[in-house]
Amino acid sequence: MYDALVLPFIEFAFMQRALAGALMLSLSACPVGVFLMLRRMSLTGDAMSHAILPGAAAGFLLYGLEIVPMTIGGLVAGIFVALGAGAIARLTVQKEDASMAAFYLISLALGVMMVSLRGSSVDLMHVLFGTVLALNDGALTLIALVSVTSMVLVGLFWRALVAECMDPLFLRSVSRLGSPVHFIFLGLVVINLVAGFQALGTLLSVGLMVLPAAAARFWTQRVSTMCALAIAIGFASSLVGLLLSYHASLPSGPAIILSAGAIYFVSVVASPRGLLLSRLPKSLHRAA
């Protein structure tokens, strides 16, 4: 048991770095995912994860696989798409989900084309799916900064974030924080996706944000408990996924996301609010 579960993280520095990066991502991204889910914006998070691709690709074209240029490019692209989609939704007849979808499709195609102009298929796979087992000091530093920033901002604006999830119109009527909190939240989504991109790539970074949050929703209704449980599920998914990757020679990023997916499906079936237990009292009542 020790050799299977602990030894890989003792013997290999790359496993230690991967675990540290994945745990820090879970700590910051999973609570953001809870608010994303409560706002019914989970697919918006997926669109935003693709929106950072052109910026990261621009950094790649200019400097290669360097973390700072790709991160700055991803941030700029993500902020541009978030603000652009929001502006179109407010100034035209188009809804925000449609404008976000349009930006997402354009960004994905543009980013893939930009990477393909200079890089190989290996570079494209690196950008799209990440390399959590190859995290360096720069990537870990970025993830740590994003994690600390996210926790501080969520702590400072906790009540406003919860209120906006429940009744955004009420929050705007009683507080000036309504609109600022919305953009702060979008900023949190962007920076966590940029940090997750370093480990999981643009296609999978949203998975560690949304899947643990979606699974936690089946177990509790309290937002604070939901955030804590989502973090715990993120931790478990990261640990199990990395061990599966090590022992079964699987790609590490997909293994982490599939582990989170397995926990989600268990929650769908076996949780107190899942398919089985939520229907059990009604079945017993009808039988009686």
Side-chain angles (χ1 to χ4, degrees):
M1 186 67 70
Y2 174 84
D3 290 345
L5 300 181
V6 180
L7 194 60
F9 299 107
I10 300 295
E11 286 194 344
F12 300 104
F14 69 89
M15 290 291 288
Q16 297 170 11
R17 291 173 179 272
L19 182 62
L23 294 182
M24 287 190 291
L25 282 174
S26 300
L27 194 61
S28 62
C30 291
V32 175
V34 168
F35 289 110
L36 200 66
M37 178 193 60
L38 292 176
R39 290 164 176 252
R40 299 181 181 179
M41 293 174 61
S42 299
L43 290 179
T44 300
D46 184 54
M48 290 296 299
S49 70
H50 297 82
I52 68 176
L53 183 55
F60 170 77
L61 283 176
L62 295 174
Y63 298 97
L65 292 171
E66 294 290 334
I67 182 171
V68 174
M70 294 181 71
T71 297
I72 294 174
L75 281 172
V76 171
I79 292 171
F80 172 78
V81 168
L83 294 178
I88 290 175
R90 284 165 174 78
L91 299 176
T92 71
V93 297
Q94 194 168 63
K95 300 296 185 182
E96 190 168 12
D97 60 337
S99 59
M100 187 68 74
F103 273 94
Y104 142 66
L105 293 169
I106 295 169
S107 299
L108 180 60
L110 181 60
V112 171
M113 183 179 294
M114 291 171 69
V115 175
S116 301
L117 285 176
R118 174 177 170 178
S120 64
S121 59
V122 175
D123 295 323
L124 182 60
M125 293 291 287
H126 170 85
V127 173
L128 293 178
F129 297 102
T131 51
V132 67
L133 294 180
L135 292 176
N136 55 25
D137 290 339
L140 288 176
T141 300
L142 170 69
I143 293 171
L145 288 174
V146 168
S147 181
V148 171
T149 302
S150 293
M151 289 188 292
V152 170
L153 288 176
V154 168
L156 287 175
F157 296 99
W158 174 265
R159 291 174 64 88
L161 287 168
V162 174
E164 196 187 21
C165 287
M166 304 306 172
D167 194 340
L169 294 178
F170 172 76
L171 176 63
R172 291 172 189 174
S173 67
V174 300
S175 173
R176 296 179 179 178
L177 289 176
S179 294
V181 163
H182 180 71
F183 288 105
I184 288 170
F185 175 71
L186 288 179
L188 286 172
V189 174
V190 171
I191 63 173
N192 276 279
L193 289 174
V194 169
F197 149 76
Q198 304 297 332
L200 301 171
T202 58
L203 294 184
L204 295 178
S205 59
V206 72
L208 196 59
M209 184 181 292
V210 171
L211 282 172
R217 182 71 186 273
F218 285 100
W219 296 93
T220 181
Q221 296 184 18
R222 292 179 57 86
V223 179
S224 57
T225 308
M226 204 179 299
C227 288
L229 184 57
I231 292 173
I233 293 172
F235 283 0
S237 303
S238 301
L239 181 62
V240 171
L242 288 173
L243 288 172
L244 285 174
S245 173
Y246 176 80
H247 291 294
S249 300
L250 299 173
S252 51
I256 291 173
I257 303 305
L258 285 175
S259 299
I263 296 174
Y264 169 76
F265 281 116
V266 169
S267 301
V268 168
V269 175
S271 69
R273 304 177 69 194
L275 292 174
L276 295 181
L277 296 183
S278 64
R279 284 165 171 73
L280 186 60
K282 295 180 182 179
S283 301
L284 292 177
H285 180 73
R286 281 194 291 265

